[in-house]
Amino acid sequence: MSDNFRSRATEEENEVTPLLANEMGSRSRGASFASSVFNLMNAIMGSGILGLAFAMANTGIVGFCLLLVVVSALAAYSVHLLLKLCDQTGINSYESLGERALDKPGKVLVGCAVLIQNIGAMSSYLFILKSELPAAIKSFLNAGNTGTVWYEDGRLLLILITICVVLPLAILPRVGFLGYTSGLAFLFMLYFTTVVVMKKWTIPCPLPNNITVLSESFQVSNSSGSECTAKLFVLSRKSAYAIPTMAFSFLCHTAVLPIYCELDRPTKARMQRVTNISISLSFTVYLVSALFGYLTFYAHVDSELLLGYDTYLPHDVVVMTVRLAILLSVILTVPLIHFPARKAAILLLFGSRPFSWWIHSLTTVCILCVVLILAIFVPDIRNVFGVVGSTTSSCLLFVFPGLFYLRISTQRFRSLDYIGAVFLLVFGVVVGALSLILIIFMWVQSS
């Protein structure tokens, strides 16, 4: 009995250590299961939640639900393939899997995709700060002055928040330290979803015409009762933004392997449970917030959901608090998204050198500077969701996991995972290419 117990213990130890030995050597107790779930959920949920109601308005309720189920299921399955490859090879980073599959070009390709994806994600989060934080401060202060004061400058506030809050959290050396802030960010997202449900019965439909300041998407006559009819299926040019926005919203693959490395008692099955719980909870929050956001504004939902509430309930206390909650959640999410971006940049520029605080700090500051520049000059958050979602998000979510599995795995040609990997690869290439072509076509037409 004791020999069998020792044998099983040795097998479990061998299952845990190969993944971690490459980078961490002897390892102290890692992040807890709950902390890892919160970190992965924080990596999944972010600014994408503000764009999903717009996606539902352009696909219909049934169409949106079907697409959301497909994208979330494929996201969980692609993580399964990545974890399976890590288990087979002992590799502990997405970039190293790319190198194993496609030699050095694969490493560079994945590193660039991770860097672009996460910089795009962080810039979309900071874009929300730039557009929403001045209005949030002004509404809480009940400022009635007609002149311009410093806190009404979103660019200045963005720089101050980045230096005082984001930079100290982003410069932390390990992602596990962010478990508490990730749990807090998820609570803020739950609060946002609750308020979206509540406000469905506060804003009348048809939407009132006597608003003097309307966003572009609300400049439509609302006299017809048909404006309040939900569509089950919608197909239009704007539907091209749906899958990229969902891919952007469910992409957590750049954070999966760092979280796996720091998980206490890391095994593939344990990390898969972390992934399944995180994606399932995120799916629920996404679906509820998108559904009730759409049922509030119907075809006139804005590309950033909060803008509709700002227009029709500008002085509502609950809306003001939910806006602040989203802003705090965004601030706490940026450091977590920064972690894999910095890791990819260091791997591309400096290789597998030992940890250096000088390189670590310099890379952190440089990435945040690039993100700040993009957040200041990007005109519409929908552009970030569309372009980044159809290119790097599709590659990291669908194309790379399928391609790497086909190149690295030794499983037979007709195995279930082999067929699944082929489907992921084809789906990612076709959907990403079609979405990007349609988005560029709409840009050309509008210009």
Side-chain angles (χ1 to χ4, degrees), residues 365-380:
V365 172
C366 289
I367 291 175
L368 287 180
C369 287
V370 173
V371 170
L372 269 176
I373 292 170
L374 289 175
I376 289 172
F377 293 106
V378 167
D380 190 343

Side-chain angles (χ1 to χ4, degrees), residues 12-57:
E12 289 181 4
E13 185 179 342
N14 290 337
E15 185 181 4
V16 172
T17 53
L19 178 69
L20 304 168
N22 297 336
E23 184 175 344
M24 305 181 76
S26 59
R27 182 176 183 271
S28 58
R29 182 179 177 83
S32 67
F33 186 90
S35 175
S36 299
V37 169
F38 282 130
N39 272 336
L40 192 56
M41 288 181 64
N42 198 18
I44 296 171
M45 299 182 66
S47 59
I49 196 173
L50 300 178
L52 288 174
F54 179 80
M56 180 177 283

Side-chain angles (χ1 to χ4, degrees), residues 98-179:
E99 185 176 23
R100 178 71 172 264
L102 302 172
D103 298 325
K104 191 170 182 181
K107 178 180 179 181
V108 173
L109 189 64
V110 174
C112 291
V114 169
L115 199 55
I116 294 170
Q117 160 66 31
N118 287 357
I119 285 177
M122 288 186 286
S123 65
S124 72
Y125 298 159
L126 295 188
F127 177 91
I128 294 171
L129 282 176
K130 180 188 73 174
S131 60
E132 295 288 343
L133 189 55
I137 295 176
K138 189 175 181 179
S139 61
F140 274 105
L141 294 179
N142 292 319
N145 58 300
T146 56
T148 302
V149 291
W150 68 272
Y151 57 77
E152 292 183 1
D153 188 346
R155 295 169 297 179
L156 177 60
L157 290 176
L158 198 58
I159 294 170
L160 290 176
I161 292 293
T162 302
I163 293 174
C164 299
V165 181
V166 176
L167 179 60
L169 290 174
I171 212 165
L172 292 172
R174 293 183 59 186
V175 71
F177 293 143
L178 299 174

